[in-house]
Amino acid sequence: MILGGRRPARALADFRNRGGADAGLRGLIVLDRDDHHERDENPPAAVAETGLEVFVWGLRHIESYLLVPAALRRVLRPPIDAPRVDRVLANHMAMARERTGQGSDSGSVHAKRILGAGGSLSEALGTELRAGEIARAMRVDDLHDDVVALFKRIGTLSGLAPQGPEVVVRPPRPARSEPERS
C-alpha cells in the first residue's frame, strides 16, 4: 500500500487498524532516504512496533535505482546509441551532484527531478521516460544490491523459502557394454 510522504506513522496506524502483530500480521515500511544523508539502520521511534519493520533506501529516492544505462537504452524509442545514453546520464548525474554539493555520491541525486515527466534527462534524450517502463525493462543484473536486499526481506516476511542452491542427485548410468569384436 502506498501511503506516501515519508510519514511512517501513517503506516503504523494502518498496520494497527488491520490488527497488527496480535492478528499475526507482519509488515514492512519502505521509505525513501530523501534528504536524510545518513542511512536509517534503526526504525524511527514512531514505528517501533512488534511485527513491523522499516527499510530505508540507501539512495535518495526509489527512482534512483532506475538510473541504469542498460535499462534506459532498452526503453528508448527510437533507440539511441549506448555511448550517447551513457554520456547524457553521466552529465546529468554530475550536474545534479554539483547543484546539491554532494560530491560523487550518486545516492544524493534528485532522481525524481531528472527522471520524471518533463525531467531534464527525458529532455536531453528527446523522449519521455516512464519509471514503470524502465523498471519492467530491468534485468536481474541491473538491480542494485539494495533492491535485491528488499526483495529478500519481502520474501522472508511473506513466508517464502529463501532461494538457495538446488542439488539434484541422479543415479549413476549403467555402464554401456561394448559389442564384442572378432
Side-chain angles (χ1 to χ4, degrees):
M1 171 177 294
I2 299 173
L3 298 173
R6 201 177 202 288
R7 291 179 275 176
R10 290 173 63 193
L12 174 60
D14 182 69
F15 183 71
R16 288 177 176 165
N17 286 340
R18 293 170 186 265
D22 292 340
L25 300 178
R26 296 188 304 181
L28 181 65
I29 300 171
V30 180
L31 300 172
D32 279 348
R33 190 188 81 197
D34 291 335
D35 291 323
H36 305 271
H37 299 294
E38 295 298 318
R39 186 178 183 144
D40 291 326
E41 293 295 339
N42 300 313
V47 291
E49 178 91 351
T50 301
L52 190 58
E53 296 181 26
V54 176
F55 180 94
V56 180
W57 291 115
L59 302 180
R60 186 174 184 179
H61 303 117
I62 191 171
E63 291 84 356
S64 302
Y65 297 94
L66 301 176
L67 297 174
V68 177
L72 291 170
R73 287 192 300 272
R74 283 186 216 109
V75 299
L76 292 172
R77 297 291 176 261
I80 298 174
D81 64 280
R84 179 172 172 228
V85 173
D86 295 351
R87 189 173 51 253
V88 168
L89 182 57
N91 288 342
H92 275 73
M93 299 288 278
M95 287 188 302
R97 286 191 298 269
E98 190 175 298
R99 270 195 307 274
T100 62
Q102 297 298 320
S104 64
D105 177 14
S106 62
S108 64
V109 171
H110 199 300
K112 289 181 181 187
R113 221 175 264 149
I114 66 173
L115 188 60
S120 58
L121 185 59
S122 293
E123 187 177 302
L125 293 172
T127 186
E128 185 176 345
L129 296 169
R130 293 182 179 87
E133 287 178 18
I134 298 167
R136 283 187 293 280
M138 293 184 85
R139 298 180 180 154
V140 172
D141 57 327
D142 293 331
L143 299 178
H144 188 281
D145 290 345
D146 290 352
V147 177
V148 173
L150 177 61
F151 285 162
K152 284 181 182 176
R153 194 70 214 124
I154 290 170
T156 300
L157 288 171
S158 299
L160 300 174
Q163 292 288 331
E166 185 175 314
V167 178
V168 177
V169 179
R170 294 189 176 126
R173 289 183 167 180
R176 287 181 37 181
S177 59
E178 295 289 323
E180 290 184 32
R181 295 183 186 219
S182 17

